[in-house]
Amino acid sequence: MRRRPPSAALTPAFLRAGSEKTVSTAAAQSQFHTDLWLCFTVQNWILDFGRPIAMIIMPLEWFPLNKPSVGDYFHMAYNVITPFLLLKLIERSPTALPRSAVYLCIITFVMGASIHLVGDSINHRLILSGYQLHLSVRENPIIKDLKPASLIDSFELLYYYDEHLGHFMWYVPFFLILFLYFTGCFTQVKDEKMPYSGWLLLGPSAVYYWYLITEGQIFVLYVFTFFAMIATVMRQRRMGFVLDSNGRFLFYNFIITLGLVLVWVAYLWNDKVLRKKYPGIIYVPEPWSFYTLHIKDS
């Protein structure tokens, strides 16, 4: 009798092993990324939120006004570490995401954050010289009497690069990458829950996103991203899929952040000075404007 070829005899076992390997790989990818979310939270609090605080605390003699400050070095580190963490997050996505879109987002993010680095560095030096963040550029005491008057236009251009163009090129790709990752965070496992480490990180992470949205003046971008996430969840539920633990972490972050922003706006709703700086329907004051108005002098 002719013997069965070894390759044919091993085919069922090989297929079983391959399927088990695929399942185990998918399971590993769907596990909660405690290391990445912890790194995001820590570096966001230290390198972004803590950047202006460090610039205020550190003695001016250590970092002269004509040299980079400690906050500038924090910003440089942020501009390197955050894109790296975003790429690692995309690598762990359970589904394949469009590489071209991810690369363009990362490139734009780095460029926008670098523009903001320069504008923010000069802006914080102006604060040390008496610049008031709760006032417009032309209304600031140290700016309005400059001669020639064309210098004021230059400071307004600097403000545009810092607060508008830099923020736009920084935050739009950042939230787009988070949304692209979120679209892959769905599974048919109904009982996948967020671990205790996720619940512990949820509070600090949501508070940081509150700061990001209010200080970055990106409430509209945040709302559009949140609505897109809600629409994605509803669509996937109709197809029988639910959020995995990482998707839940992101989704809960956005929900808590929305509550914090609403409380912040309600608290400062009747502030006439901030109302003058932030006119219009969408009124979301910046925390550092609140600081220079109500806290700095005291």
Side-chain angles (χ1 to χ4, degrees):
M1 295 178 62
R2 187 169 57 184
R3 298 179 60 185
R4 181 181 297 180
S7 59
L10 294 176
T11 297
F14 177 78
L15 291 176
R16 283 198 303 273
S19 63
E20 291 173 359
K21 183 178 180 181
T22 303
V23 171
S24 62
T25 301
Q29 288 180 325
S30 65
Q31 289 178 357
F32 187 72
H33 308 320
T34 303
D35 55 342
L36 283 182
W37 298 126
L38 177 61
C39 289
F40 268 116
T41 304
V42 171
Q43 70 101 24
N44 285 337
W45 271 92
I46 295 177
L47 301 181
D48 193 15
F49 179 78
R51 182 180 71 250
I53 298 175
M55 295 175 69
I56 295 174
I57 294 177
M58 290 296 176
L60 190 59
E61 295 78 14
W62 295 4
F63 303 95
L65 294 180
N66 62 343
K67 300 293 182 181
S69 69
V70 62
D72 297 338
Y73 293 115
F74 277 26
H75 209 318
M76 294 175 195
Y78 176 91
N79 291 3
V80 174
I81 297 173
T82 304
F84 174 77
L85 292 177
L86 289 173
L87 287 173
K88 297 302 293 183
L89 187 67
I90 293 298
E91 285 180 6
R92 297 192 189 182
S93 174
T95 59
L97 300 175
R99 290 181 176 270
S100 297
V102 172
Y103 294 157
L104 284 174
C105 286
I106 293 294
I107 293 170
T108 308
F109 172 90
V110 174
M111 185 174 180
S114 300
I115 292 174
H116 183 268
L117 164 63
V118 178
D120 200 57
S121 175
I122 299 174
N123 186 51
H124 280 282
R125 278 155 180 73
L126 290 174
I127 294 175
L128 296 175
S129 300
Y131 187 84
Q132 301 294 315
L133 288 175
H134 59 277
L135 299 175
S136 66
V137 175
R138 291 188 177 272
E139 293 175 341
N140 260 273
I142 68 170
I143 300 291
K144 64 181 181 181
D145 295 328
L146 285 176
K147 300 297 180 182
S150 58
L151 285 175
I152 301 177
D153 295 330
S154 299
F155 278 101
E156 286 189 325
L157 177 62
L158 175 67
Y159 181 85
Y160 171 78
Y161 274 114
D162 180 16
E163 297 295 328
H164 295 284
L165 183 62
H167 283 184
F168 179 81
M169 296 181 66
W170 178 0
Y171 296 130
V172 169
F174 178 78
F175 278 93
L176 182 56
I177 289 177
L178 289 182
F179 176 71
L180 288 174
Y181 173 78
F182 180 80
T183 59
C185 295
F186 290 88
T187 179
Q188 290 183 320
V189 181
K190 303 294 183 180
D191 59 345
E192 183 173 344
K193 298 179 180 179
M194 197 165 65
Y196 291 115
S197 58
W199 291 107
L200 291 175
L201 290 172
L202 194 57
S205 180
V207 172
Y208 167 75
Y209 279 108
W210 160 82
Y211 171 78
L212 185 73
I213 291 163
T214 53
E215 187 65 30
Q217 293 292 285
I218 52 171
F219 182 72
V220 175
L221 173 62
Y222 157 78
V223 169
F224 273 108
T225 306
F226 189 36
F227 284 166
M229 293 169 68
I230 294 174
T232 304
V233 170
M234 295 174 63
R235 178 176 176 272
Q236 292 291 341
R237 280 187 176 179
R238 288 196 297 266
M239 299 172 62
F241 293 93
V242 295
L243 282 171
D244 64 11
S245 56
N246 295 287
R248 291 173 187 270
F249 180 77
L250 271 178
F251 197 61
Y252 295 160
N253 251 309
F254 273 67
I255 294 175
I256 297 174
T257 301
L258 178 61
L260 293 175
V261 172
L262 293 178
V263 171
W264 173 254
V265 171
Y267 176 69
L268 299 174
W269 187 258
N270 296 319
D271 193 305
K272 295 181 180 179
V273 178
L274 294 178
R275 273 283 184 181
K276 185 178 179 180
K277 182 177 182 181
Y278 306 98
I281 300 175
I282 300 177
Y283 170 68
V284 183
E286 298 173 71
W288 282 104
S289 294
F290 176 82
Y291 167 78
T292 60
L293 177 60
H294 296 292
I295 300 177
K296 182 181 178 182
D297 292 338
S298 61

